[in-house]
Amino acid sequence: MEFWQVEHLSKDRSTTLSIFLLNRPYSKIIFMLAKTFAGAVSGVSAKTIIIEVNAGGVPESGKQFWHMVGLPDKSVREGFQRIEAAIKNIHIKFPHLKLVVNLAPANIPKEGSAYDLPVALGMLAATNQMLPDKLGEYLIIGELALDGALRPIRGALPIAILARNEKYKGIILPKQNAKEAAIVSDIEVHGIENLQEAVDFFNGAAPLPTTVVDTRDRFAIEHNKYDLDFSDVKGQENIKRALELAAAGGHNVILIGPPGAGKTMLARRLPTILPPLSLHEALDTTKVYSVAGQLPDNTALIATRPYRSPHHTISDVGLVGGGSNPCPGEISLAHNGVLFLDELPEFKRTVLEVLRQPMEERRITISRAKITVDYPASFMLIASMNPCPCGYYNHPEKPCVCAPGMVQRYLNKISGPLLDRIDLHVEVTPVSYDELSSNKRSKITSKEISKRVIVARDIQTKRFENHPKIYCNAHMPGRIVRDVCQLTPEGTALLKKAMERLQLSARAFDRILKVARTAADLSGRKDINIEDLSEAINYRSLDREGWAG
């Protein structure tokens, strides 16, 4: 028997293809190694995965002719059946040689269906049915259908960012993900519809289309567009003021009022008065939605503040993220936006308690036996609740029918530490008939409120320019609160009296100072006066003695 070895070294990625030809009567068996490159999402970033395919040898009769190593999960291993059918259905012979597929680094768990396309191309290159010359120049991802078509995958944006950072010439991915990936500059993005297009490209038979997106132009077109407006809300001027205060300082809010008072309607309009997303914030938010697979169809960039409103039956994993293969939860999907929890006492206590750390740190760390990932979670919390089980405690017209002590038990479903982390407790009263029946729209529009909020945020940006992780008053740690929120002797006396009478915690003390600082910023005052402090104390309704009977 005679052996020949032929080595092929690609120009930029050092892909070595070793071909061994074993001469036997009536047969030639090919031994060959090919490499392709893919990306694995970890948190909201990505890591390079090297896919090595070794083909050679005749599989033993009755035994599996392929093996996949490198910690693939079930969805990755099942890809082999999709790959075999896809290759056959584009009329390429599928060689029944012994195949070994290695996903490196071998210590990183691999999950999902995005490895189908790079594994398929590696198999074709390893069996000498596709030219390997340009494989090392591209990062390749995509899920294959049985007919060879490509289906969209999760995490295209962070993988495209990885491809640019790792100096790949381009990225090849499903056409449905092309616009999402194309917002990354300085890299070629090729969106394809099927496996045949990729094979023809690497064989030099046909070029691939390039998707180009002008990120700034797209951002300008979709930026800050909302269908809702505060001018739709009749009455409730004091609640609008409270939400303006919350938006100006990034404060968390809870609205307490009877059914039908407008709590949900007001909460849904909060994003319309927040400062518009910057391009950097938009990219950060889009990455989260890309990883979660929740980027809307034909949307390249999230250009408005997210608004998330999960149902009260949600689990703690659904809220903060996690699972065996960790995914972002609702708090991460609300990153740079608003998380609205309607009927707060109806949420399971264990679910609410997991909010405490993310509200302070503005991120969530998911730890599992094999992996630990971080997700961003910088959101504004706005919650709503009825004052009692029947909903009419303290109602000006309808009597409360709850038994003695029920109001307090209802309120006790929300823990004290969680309430401490909510800056504004706002009582919402019903709107009168005259205001509801009026045909006049409110003169207070979201645009006008937003202008005042932006001015206040600009003041805070200058204040915290030497503190890179602080963007608004609500983010101030205690050591900075003492420096920024100086009080007059009269203000100190007023706050001391409020602390003693309401029995407020140290955290509530800081919250009052932060809200007072925001009220002063909205008024353009350098110092906090009595009016600012009084307004901030007034927004601690649930701390007042005797509020719940």
Side-chain angles (χ1 to χ4, degrees):
M1 286 189 274
E2 297 179 76
F3 294 85
W4 290 269
Q5 178 177 355
V6 181
E7 291 192 354
H8 178 91
L9 187 65
S10 67
K11 295 179 181 179
D12 58 348
R13 292 286 163 180
S14 301
T15 302
T16 303
L17 307 176
S18 299
I19 306 172
F20 296 87
L21 299 181
L22 173 60
N23 278 356
R24 288 181 178 176
Y26 314 110
S27 69
K28 285 187 178 181
I29 303 173
I30 301 174
F31 295 80
M32 194 169 183
L33 174 67
K35 292 182 183 179
T36 58
F37 299 86
V41 174
S42 177
V44 291
S45 59
K47 300 177 181 178
T48 300
I49 300 297
I50 303 170
I51 298 174
E52 302 171 323
V53 182
N54 187 77
V58 178
E60 297 181 28
S61 178
K63 290 191 176 182
Q64 183 173 278
F65 66 93
W66 65 272
H67 302 273
M68 185 175 284
V69 295
L71 291 184
D73 73 352
K74 188 174 182 180
S75 61
V76 179
R77 291 194 300 271
E78 286 178 346
F80 199 89
Q81 279 70 35
R82 294 190 293 270
I83 292 167
E84 181 179 6
I87 289 176
K88 289 178 178 178
N89 283 320
I90 63 170
H91 309 295
I92 295 178
K93 184 179 179 181
F94 189 86
H96 282 267
L97 298 173
K98 185 176 181 181
L99 296 170
V100 178
V101 179
N102 179 42
L103 308 177
N107 62 330
I108 298 176
K110 321 298 188 304
E111 59 92 18
S113 55
Y115 302 102
D116 289 1
L117 181 60
V119 170
L121 295 177
M123 286 181 177
L124 292 176
T127 55
N128 207 26
Q129 299 185 84
M130 190 185 79
L131 296 177
D133 297 12
K134 296 187 289 185
L135 274 178
E137 299 176 5
Y138 295 88
L139 198 149
I140 306 166
I141 52 173
E143 175 186 339
L144 285 172
L146 298 185
D147 62 355
L150 283 174
R151 294 194 172 108
I153 52 92
R154 295 183 179 186
L157 178 56
I159 292 174
I161 294 172
L162 169 72
R164 181 188 63 185
N165 294 342
E166 295 291 327
K167 307 299 182 183
Y168 286 90
K169 182 178 180 180
I171 179 172
I172 298 174
L173 75 173
K175 189 175 182 179
Q176 300 94 317
N177 296 114
K179 287 184 179 179
E180 173 188 346
I183 67 175
V184 181
S185 58
D186 302 324
I187 188 170
E188 295 178 7
V189 176
H190 302 293
I192 61 175
E193 295 183 353
N194 53 61
L195 176 61
Q196 185 67 61
E197 290 183 34
V199 174
D200 289 344
F201 170 70
F202 285 109
N203 281 333
L208 289 179
T210 302
T211 303
V212 178
V213 172
D214 188 327
T215 307
R216 295 189 180 278
D217 182 60
R218 175 77 62 173
F219 183 64
I221 292 172
E222 300 177 0
H223 190 222
N224 218 36
K225 284 187 176 180
Y226 297 99
D227 297 327
L228 304 173
D229 197 278
F230 264 96
S231 62
D232 302 329
V233 181
K234 295 181 178 180
Q236 305 291 21
E237 306 305 324
N238 60 323
I239 314 303
K240 293 176 185 177
R241 164 64 183 179
L243 293 182
E244 178 181 342
L245 197 62
H251 303 291
N252 302 318
V253 191
I254 183 168
L255 304 176
I256 312 119
K263 302 185 293 296
T264 302
M265 180 174 64
L266 288 159
R268 291 176 62 190
R269 284 159 175 78
L270 181 57
T272 68
I273 64 173
L274 289 172
L277 280 176
S278 66
L279 183 57
H280 177 73
E281 288 176 322
L283 288 169
D284 276 351
T285 305
T286 305
K287 281 199 293 185
V288 176
Y289 277 75
S290 174
V291 169
Q294 295 198 28
L295 199 63
D297 293 339
N298 300 316
T299 299
L301 194 66
I302 300 291
T304 56
R305 297 275 178 187
Y307 174 83
R308 304 294 299 186
S309 180
H311 193 260
H312 61 77
T313 55
I314 191 171
S315 67
D316 52 352
V317 171
L319 189 63
V320 301
S324 56
N325 296 316
C327 288
E330 289 291 334
I331 64 172
S332 295
L333 293 171
H335 179 58
N336 290 324
V338 175
L339 177 68
F340 177 51
L341 302 182
D342 198 8
E343 304 297 342
L344 188 65
E346 301 303 326
F347 284 79
K348 288 183 287 188
R349 191 181 182 96
T350 55
V351 171
L352 294 180
E353 292 307 298
V354 297
L355 280 175
R356 287 159 54 177
Q357 182 187 8
M359 286 171 68
E360 291 287 334
E361 298 184 1
R362 305 197 304 280
R363 65 182 179 86
I364 180 70
T365 301
I366 308 295
S367 297
R368 295 293 180 265
K370 295 181 179 179
I371 190 171
T372 297
V373 296
D374 282 343
Y375 293 117
S378 181
F379 60 91
M380 269 187 66
L381 174 67
I382 180 167
S384 72
M385 61 176 286
N386 294 330
C388 66
C390 78
Y392 295 107
Y393 181 75
N394 279 343
H395 194 282
E397 297 175 0
K398 296 184 180 180
C400 175
V401 297
C402 297
M406 285 189 67
V407 177
Q408 188 61 54
R409 286 197 297 273
Y410 186 71
L411 183 61
N412 285 343
K413 291 183 178 180
I414 309 168
S415 70
L418 181 61
L419 281 178
D420 272 351
R421 287 169 168 81
I422 299 178
D423 305 346
L424 306 177
H425 306 166
V426 185
E427 293 186 68
V428 183
T429 55
V431 181
S432 68
Y433 174 79
D434 291 338
E435 288 176 314
L436 283 175
S437 59
S438 174
N439 292 325
K440 294 182 180 180
R441 288 173 64 89
S442 173
K443 295 180 180 179
I444 302 177
T445 64
S446 292
K447 187 175 182 179
E448 291 175 358
I449 299 174
S450 182
K451 287 179 180 178
R452 297 194 292 268
V453 168
I454 291 171
V455 171
R457 286 288 185 105
D458 288 341
I459 293 172
Q460 294 164 47
T461 299
K462 293 177 182 177
R463 177 181 297 140
F464 303 123
E465 60 185 357
N466 295 324
H467 303 278
K469 294 186 179 181
I470 302 176
Y471 304 102
C472 56
N473 289 335
H475 297 165
M476 286 190 289
R479 57 186 173 80
I480 296 179
V481 170
R482 305 297 186 274
D483 297 332
V484 172
C485 305
Q486 298 287 338
L487 299 179
T488 62
E490 295 81 4
T492 302
L494 175 63
L495 185 54
K496 180 181 178 181
K497 185 176 180 181
M499 290 289 294
E500 292 173 349
R501 183 171 180 180
L502 302 179
Q503 297 181 344
L504 299 178
S505 67
R507 185 179 285 113
F509 173 80
D510 284 349
R511 302 283 174 186
I512 290 173
L513 290 177
K514 292 177 185 180
V515 173
R517 179 66 266 171
T518 302
D521 291 340
L522 278 171
S523 302
R525 286 191 290 270
K526 185 178 180 180
D527 298 319
I528 299 172
N529 63 19
I530 291 292
E531 289 77 14
D532 302 325
L533 197 57
S534 298
E535 184 177 18
I537 293 171
N538 190 51
Y539 289 127
R540 302 298 302 184
S541 299
L542 297 181
D543 295 326
R544 291 205 300 266
E545 185 179 355
W547 185 89

